Amino acid sequence: MPLCATCDGVDVRNLLRICLSQCRDKQEALSDGETYDNRLNYEGSEVKHHDDIFEIEKSSQDCGLCKVIFQAFKRTNVHDVEIARGLQIIFRASYNKIEIMEKDPASKRSIEIASRWLKNCVESHSSCRPPTELQKPPKRLIHVGNKTQNLFLVETFPDLQHVEWLSLSYRWREEPSKKLTGDTMNELKNGIPLTDFDDTIQDAVSVTRDLGISYIWIDALCIIQGSNDSTGEWNEEASKMNEIYGGSIVTLVIASSASVKNGFLTERDLNYIPVAYSTNLTEDRKAKLFLSPEWDDSEREYNGVWTSQIIWKCCEEQRFERGVTERVEDIISETLTYSDHDDISFGSGLFWQLPAFLKFKGFKKYLPISLDYPLMSHSDTFRLWYDLVEDYTQRRFENISDRLVAISGIARIYGDMIRNPTYVAGLWKEDLIRGLLWHVEGTMLIPKRPTDDIPTFHKAFPSWSWTSVGYEVVKNDLKTDNSIRALSEIENIQIDLVDQDPFGAIKRGSITITGPLRRLPRLYNKEWASAEASMSELERHISEIVEEESQGPVAHEYSSSPEGHFSVLLMLENMKSLHLLVLEATSKINVYRRGGILELCYVDPSGYTSPEVIATLTKMETSIPAQLGPHKKARTMRKTANAAFMEIKRENWVKETVMIV
């Protein structure tokens, strides 16, 4: 596709010079231990382009470069395109290294890149080698053979050592065409042609062969399906997937395919636009330069279906097929450059500035070495777990019961890193008070959008576990707070799980806890806004929250509980805040289901922001740059909870023992 006249007039030679100069300056500054301002400040670093995005859209029909620019604009998810009218489009030189990739991800060049990354890790990264106890192969593996051989199942033995295998992580979505059952065991052992398998499996086997690996672990073909009722093998092996992944030489994550029926080695749409520029002004010699959209941070993570590039992640680095390499040591060194610390010590806060994968891979080194350190009392010990849960909870499963099993491998690894506390259905007993105070993003008491799945979740998991709510982001706002403390009155915490294996698919379990409790006849009184209405300040405040979070008519159950009452249990406190667990009564005496949480913060009236400052902030929030970002619904300002806070502080709540199921 040719370039339009405007694009063809861009001074690419000058942009390239600026880009190279900036790379050099940054490297020199960082090597000298100096800080570096990433903003482009070279003369001519911004090049005027079309007048606005509407001209870009029109030109994108015939101009390859305009097409790339408009696609990049659409990724910003602007809700009102008219906001962009009149804003100029400019080019900026970027110092990211970009390599030209093959359209075919299975090409010889692409496979050579992946193979080189693997070889470098195996030979050079001591921290990436699994512990000795994890190096023995799993019970079963699939031998991939070669292009003339069928695939066949191999049952390994404990004394079989030094076997290298690849683990496959992929989405079923639909039932695989071939699965390991008692009836298909002999068929798989005797061998089945590759073409009889689904496309995802076929592509994964091809990659395994090209990497020079003889065995692959695929759950559908290595774990007996449909036998968990009789042998329990599915739950037993599925809950130990971390050992399989941890011991394999590499894990192949299929992030670009939504179903086992789809292949992933498909041709990619690469937005590299070649432009010609003169290398010598005195001669008519032309060289090629490739322009592409600016680096998108979302491409660094597995946040959804993508087909853009191959990404390598290990304990020491992550590499992108586009040419960028991020090493743990380099990122840590750069982080320390902007601080007064010599290292990223436990509790310093610098650790949490690292990318997500580095935090998980480097977490064990971040923790204190001394066994005498009171690890369980520090918020940083469990902070990463709450981050993982926040990312995990929005992921959907075909079988709801797999929700706990699928994260059990991460839980086992995490527990080992923090010296083996007690794991209970997605929470940790040693941080249970904080752990119970989770909430769905955007709400504290009322589910954001109740769906038909909610009753199913309630039946599948205990209400006190975050697994009991729908596919919404679950957050814990206390994960970074080290100032809060559990009330001294909270005592006798007992956990009873029906399933003795906490890493399994727990359906029922209870927590018995003793603490300050107050019963409420309802959570919502429609007269709450009236000063003449007879109710406590706590009831008034809760009613306001319920009405705000309902975003419409308030459900009848909050005005009149089916079982007669609700209760609030006081859990955590500090000088300026109280944290309560809201409980819904069941038909059994002192047995409750978890409803939500309530945070009461005391605001010093002398510290209120002046009307002038509020007006200035409001104007800033509605500026054009803010409007170009994702649309956010304006939130009404709730009155302070001072009255309810002081009411609770004055009262002496009676301690009671309740069971939460």
Side-chain angles (χ1 to χ4, degrees):
M1 186 180 290
L3 300 182
C4 64
T6 302
C7 291
D8 198 37
V10 171
D11 187 355
V12 178
R13 178 184 175 88
N14 191 42
L15 278 179
L16 181 60
R17 177 185 62 80
I18 294 168
C19 180
L20 295 175
S21 299
Q22 180 159 331
C23 284
R24 182 199 61 205
D25 290 353
K26 180 179 181 181
Q27 291 170 352
E28 291 178 353
L30 294 179
S31 64
D32 294 336
E34 301 175 359
T35 59
Y36 180 74
D37 187 351
N38 283 325
R39 293 173 299 180
L40 286 167
N41 52 13
Y42 293 96
E43 181 180 355
S45 62
E46 295 184 347
V47 181
K48 184 179 180 300
H49 197 239
H50 286 287
D51 287 339
D52 60 26
I53 198 64
F54 299 98
E55 291 189 14
I56 289 284
E57 182 180 16
K58 293 177 183 177
S59 182
S60 65
Q61 304 299 319
D62 303 309
C63 175
L65 183 53
C66 288
K67 180 180 178 181
V68 170
I69 296 172
F70 188 68
Q71 287 175 342
F73 173 77
K74 289 194 295 184
R75 283 190 311 192
T76 62
N77 295 319
V78 176
H79 291 266
D80 186 359
V81 182
E82 286 295 325
I83 295 173
R85 186 176 294 282
L87 296 181
Q88 292 183 345
I89 307 299
I90 59 175
F91 287 116
R92 292 191 301 132
S94 172
Y95 56 78
N96 284 322
K97 176 188 176 186
I98 303 295
E99 289 187 353
I100 305 304
M101 301 186 300
E102 302 282 345
K103 278 186 172 290
D104 179 10
S107 68
K108 181 179 179 181
R109 182 175 183 274
S110 295
I111 294 298
E112 285 178 349
I113 290 173
S115 182
R116 186 168 66 248
W117 291 344
L118 174 61
K119 183 175 184 293
N120 177 65
C121 180
V122 170
E123 295 180 353
S124 307
H125 300 168
S126 58
S127 60
C128 294
R129 295 167 191 162
T132 304
E133 62 270 18
L134 297 183
Q135 291 183 12
K136 66 178 183 179
K139 184 183 297 185
R140 303 182 188 93
L141 291 170
I142 296 294
H143 192 288
V144 299
N146 54 48
K147 293 182 179 180
T148 62
Q149 288 180 300
N150 292 340
L151 306 187
F152 60 92
L153 179 68
V154 176
E155 293 198 272
T156 58
F157 302 93
D159 59 345
L160 185 59
Q161 302 294 325
H162 309 300
V163 175
E164 291 184 348
W165 74 95
L166 175 148
S167 294
L168 178 64
S169 176
Y170 65 111
R171 296 183 66 184
W172 279 27
R173 176 70 72 175
E174 305 169 64
E175 284 292 304
S177 300
K178 295 290 183 180
K179 296 192 299 184
L180 176 61
T181 65
D183 295 333
T184 62
M185 176 78 77
N186 288 333
E187 181 186 12
L188 279 167
K189 284 184 176 180
N190 292 330
I192 298 177
L194 179 61
T195 52
D196 287 0
F197 293 89
D198 296 308
D199 289 354
T200 290
I201 308 301
Q202 291 188 39
D203 284 353
V205 169
S206 297
V207 171
T208 305
R209 288 172 173 172
D210 289 339
L211 292 176
I213 302 172
S214 299
Y215 296 93
I216 187 172
W217 188 91
I218 307 170
D219 56 0
L221 303 178
C222 295
I223 297 178
I224 298 180
Q225 310 293 315
S227 63
N228 51 321
D229 293 336
S230 57
T231 67
E233 182 173 352
W234 168 260
N235 284 340
E236 177 187 354
E237 287 205 25
S239 65
K240 294 181 179 179
M241 283 184 183
N242 68 299
E243 297 181 11
I244 296 168
Y245 291 153
S248 61
I249 189 172
V250 67
T251 299
L252 178 62
V253 179
I254 310 305
S256 60
S257 179
S259 168
V260 69
K261 305 293 184 181
N262 302 330
F264 58 91
L265 297 179
T266 56
E267 187 173 282
R268 301 176 288 193
D269 182 17
L270 303 177
N271 293 325
Y272 295 107
I273 305 302
V275 294
Y277 73 99
S278 175
T279 57
N280 191 325
L281 297 179
T282 61
E283 300 179 19
D284 188 19
R285 297 173 57 186
K286 298 286 186 179
K288 277 190 176 181
L289 177 71
F290 290 85
L291 300 183
S292 71
E294 197 169 21
W295 182 266
D296 185 356
D297 284 341
S298 66
E299 295 184 35
R300 300 168 181 264
E301 302 295 338
Y302 310 130
N303 291 332
V305 176
W306 48 263
T307 56
S308 61
Q309 63 183 312
I310 304 171
I311 301 176
W312 169 271
K313 294 193 176 188
C314 68
C315 294
E316 297 195 13
E317 64 185 12
Q318 64 178 359
R319 292 174 177 264
F320 302 86
E321 193 178 3
R322 293 181 71 172
V324 176
T325 298
E326 296 180 340
R327 295 182 178 85
V328 174
E329 291 184 1
D330 295 342
I331 293 177
I332 291 176
S333 297
E334 189 168 350
T335 301
L336 292 173
T337 300
Y338 298 94
S339 73
D340 298 328
H341 299 270
D342 295 329
D343 59 12
I344 299 182
S345 57
F346 186 67
S348 67
L350 294 176
F351 178 80
W352 304 103
Q353 298 177 23
L354 300 177
F357 97 101
L358 290 184
K359 285 188 289 191
F360 184 75
K361 293 296 187 180
F363 190 60
K364 191 171 185 178
K365 293 181 180 179
Y366 171 67
L367 296 171
I369 299 176
S370 173
L371 297 178
D372 297 329
Y373 190 92
L375 201 58
M376 299 305 157
S377 63
H378 199 287
S379 63
D380 272 15
T381 304
F382 296 96
R383 177 175 175 177
L384 180 57
W385 177 255
Y386 296 123
D387 286 343
L388 295 172
V389 168
E390 187 174 323
D391 177 71
Y392 177 76
T393 45
Q394 57 193 312
R395 304 187 182 194
R396 295 179 175 269
F397 289 84
E398 294 294 329
N399 298 314
I400 295 172
S401 59
D402 291 342
R403 206 178 194 201
L404 272 176
V405 175
I407 200 175
S408 63
I410 297 294
R412 289 177 187 269
I413 296 173
Y414 198 86
D416 178 66
M417 289 192 291
I418 59 175
R419 301 169 195 169
N420 299 307
T422 305
Y423 180 74
V424 283
L427 304 175
W428 299 94
K429 182 178 179 180
E430 288 73 7
D431 198 48
L432 190 61
I433 300 300
R434 188 198 313 262
L436 287 171
L437 294 171
W438 52 265
H439 68 91
V440 174
E441 185 176 42
T443 65
M444 297 290 183
L445 292 175
I446 307 299
K448 186 162 53 177
R449 284 183 297 273
T451 67
D452 295 337
D453 289 336
I454 299 298
T456 306
F457 276 84
H458 282 335
K459 294 176 182 178
F461 305 101
S463 68
W464 44 265
S465 172
W466 49 262
T467 53
S468 64
V469 297
Y471 297 113
E472 303 285 352
V473 176
V474 171
K475 304 174 76 71
N476 194 310
D477 297 338
L478 301 174
K479 64 184 178 182
T480 62
D481 194 338
N482 228 24
S483 65
I484 58 173
R485 61 181 178 85
L487 288 164
S488 58
E489 291 87 350
I490 292 289
E491 55 188 39
N492 300 330
I493 300 178
Q494 298 179 6
I495 303 172
D496 181 26
L497 301 178
V498 174
D499 191 331
Q500 295 302 308
D501 178 12
F503 294 99
I506 296 170
K507 293 184 178 180
R508 288 181 295 149
S510 64
I511 292 177
T512 302
I513 185 170
T514 301
L517 187 85
R518 178 173 173 179
R519 287 180 172 79
L520 299 173
R522 55 187 171 268
L523 288 185
Y524 178 68
N525 185 334
K526 64 180 180 180
E527 304 296 332
W528 67 268
S530 172
E532 288 75 27
S534 177
M535 68 181 73
S536 68
E537 294 297 337
L538 177 60
E539 291 176 278
R540 193 181 301 275
H541 185 72
I542 291 178
S543 294
E544 182 182 6
I545 295 175
V546 170
E547 187 172 294
E548 178 186 313
E549 292 186 353
S550 294
Q551 297 183 354
V554 177
H556 179 69
E557 63 187 273
Y558 299 111
S559 301
S560 178
S561 169
E563 301 301 334
H565 74 281
F566 295 86
S567 287
V568 287
L569 182 65
L570 193 52
M571 303 280 281
L572 295 171
E573 69 172 354
N574 61 19
M575 294 296 292
K576 294 293 182 67
S577 65
L578 299 171
H579 300 268
L580 304 94
L581 194 61
V582 180
L583 307 172
E584 181 180 351
T586 68
S587 57
K588 298 180 180 179
I589 298 176
N590 285 344
V591 177
Y592 293 86
R593 292 185 61 82
R594 183 191 185 279
I597 64 170
L598 183 65
E599 179 184 4
L600 302 176
C601 296
Y602 181 82
V603 180
D604 186 351
S606 65
Y608 287 157
T609 305
S610 67
E612 292 78 11
V613 174
I614 292 177
T616 301
L617 292 175
T618 302
K619 184 177 180 180
M620 290 173 61
E621 289 176 354
T622 56
S623 63
I624 288 179
Q627 293 180 55
L628 284 175
H631 178 69
K632 294 182 180 179
K633 183 178 179 180
R635 182 175 179 178
T636 57
M637 292 298 295
R638 184 185 301 148
K639 291 185 294 185
T640 66
N642 285 7
F645 180 94
M646 296 306 299
E647 179 183 81
I648 294 175
K649 282 291 191 178
R650 289 193 303 267
E651 296 175 346
N652 185 22
W653 289 11
V654 177
K655 285 197 300 183
E656 293 194 39
T657 299
V658 297
M659 178 183 290
I660 309 172
V661 295

